[in-house]
Structures are given as structure tokens and as C-alpha cells.
Amino acid sequence: TATGTATRDMAPKAEPLTDEQILMIVDLANTSEVDQARIAHGKAKNARVKKFAQTMINHHMDAKQKGAKLTKKLGVTPAESTLWSQLASDSSNMMSTLKNTANADFDRTYIEQQIEAHTKVPATIDNQLVPNAKNTDLRALLTEIRPKVEAHLAEAKDIQQALANSTATSTSTGAKTGGTTGSASGTSGTGTSKSGTGAGTGSGTGTGTGT
């Protein structure tokens, strides 16, 4: 339709990128993930979050090294771009947030950031990096990275759900055990008898408090 055509024409077009610019974007993405994961590995309390952070370090260091080898093989110098600047700003903000997040909230915050970041990356690879890459080795590297990004996203979402379930369980358990049971005490009756007659007296008191 005319409206649909106009909408597409008004949408911002992807920035043309050179291989040098793509290589710099890839290096930044990997460096950022490693830096964030190192903070997480030191501050995380949950075992799965800590393990996930170590996986990020291993995988992104590997990808970073492959990018560096390819850059050397091609004999080019990575170059900045508008997309690189945007990603650098986002990375800086994420690092600042992680450094300033209290330990009690850190695991949840880190995983939320990872989900947000890994949700954007596949679209960036598909729409901006691969279509602009000229070198076949660079395209192959991007193609290799993509499924790993999706695997990281799936794992982060699973951890997020586990953290939510753990919080819900802790809250429920706390509500059930938040009070103390009441206590009661009493004295039993005593009785005496003489000359065929008997009298018995008894008293009992009980008190209970509970919250």
C-alpha cells in the first residue's frame, strides 16, 4: 500500500559498513562481553550465574582471538563507525551499572543485561554485518558467531527463570515460618480425702502468643 511504502521509505536505513568497520564492531562486542563477564564472575553469588559468566569469558575470548587473526591475515586496520560508537556507549553504560549494582541485586541485573544485549545481536548480524561483509572469511566468522549468541540468550533466559523461581520459593518459605507458635502451661488439680469424704481442687492456666 501507499502508506506501507511511505513507512518503509521513512525508516532509517542501515549504515553501509566496510570490512574494517565490521572487524572493529566485532572486536568491541567480544571485548565488552569479556569485561562484563569478569565483573560478574567476581560479584555473582548464584552458581549458575557465575558459570555463565565464565562461559562468556571463554567463548568471547575465542571469538576475539579469531577476529584478531583475521584482521592480521587481511592486513587491514579496524575502523570506527556510527554503529561502533553506539555500541561503545551502550557498553560503557552497562559496565557502570554492573560496577555500581549492590551484590544482592547483581545476579538479576547481570542476567537482564545479557538477555537485552543478546536479543539485539542476531538482528545486527543479519541486517548490518553480514550484508555488508565483503570478505568470505569475515562472513564465515559472523556466521559462526550467530548460533553461539542464540545459545547464550537461551541460557540467560533459563537462568533468569530459575532466579525468579528461587526468589518466589524463598518468599513463600519466609511467610510460612515468619511466626512463632504459642506456648501453654498449666498445673494439674490436686485432691485429698479423709473419713470417707473427699474434696478436690484444681486450677489450670494457659497462655499462648503467636505472630
Side-chain angles (χ1 to χ4, degrees):
T1 62
T3 302
T5 301
T7 301
R8 288 195 297 271
D9 291 341
M10 292 173 62
K13 296 181 180 180
E15 172 191 10
L17 297 167
T18 65
D19 286 358
E20 291 81 358
Q21 290 173 325
I22 293 173
L23 284 166
M24 193 161 186
I25 289 169
V26 171
D27 184 70
L28 171 64
N30 287 315
T31 300
S32 298
E33 284 291 349
V34 171
D35 290 344
Q36 292 160 25
R38 283 174 175 162
I39 294 176
H41 195 268
K43 293 182 68 173
K45 300 300 181 184
N46 182 274
R48 284 192 66 187
V49 175
K50 192 177 288 290
K51 182 179 179 181
F52 178 82
Q54 185 60 57
T55 298
M56 293 298 100
I57 294 173
N58 295 341
H59 286 186
H60 286 283
M61 277 300 298
D62 180 65
K64 180 178 173 66
Q65 290 169 0
K66 289 180 179 179
K69 288 180 180 179
L70 179 56
T71 299
K72 184 177 181 180
K73 176 182 176 181
L74 298 178
V76 298
T77 301
E80 296 182 5
S81 61
T82 301
L83 178 56
W84 179 89
S85 297
Q86 293 171 349
L87 294 176
S89 177
D90 291 343
S91 175
S92 178
N93 291 335
M94 292 173 71
M95 287 289 289
S96 178
T97 297
L98 292 179
K99 289 178 180 178
N100 295 310
T101 297
N103 288 353
D105 300 322
F106 184 86
D107 291 357
R108 177 182 55 79
T109 299
Y110 173 63
I111 292 300
E112 285 178 352
Q113 284 190 345
Q114 288 297 298
I115 290 175
E116 180 180 356
H118 283 78
T119 297
K120 295 177 180 178
V121 172
T124 300
I125 292 175
D126 293 344
N127 301 327
Q128 294 179 270
L129 303 188
V130 170
N132 283 292
K134 307 298 187 298
N135 181 267
T136 55
D137 289 338
L138 178 55
R139 291 173 67 90
L141 178 61
L142 295 170
T143 301
E144 177 185 340
I145 290 173
R146 195 185 189 288
K148 291 184 179 180
V149 172
E150 293 183 328
H152 295 163
L153 176 60
E155 177 67 11
K157 287 182 176 180
D158 191 57
I159 293 174
Q160 183 183 54
Q161 185 61 54
L163 291 175
N165 291 340
S166 177
T167 301
T169 300
S170 299
T171 302
S172 176
T173 301
K176 290 180 180 179
T177 61
T180 57
T181 56
S183 60
S185 63
T187 58
S188 59
T190 60
T192 61
S193 62
K194 186 177 181 179
S195 301
T197 62
T201 62
S203 63
T205 62
T207 62
T209 62
T211 59

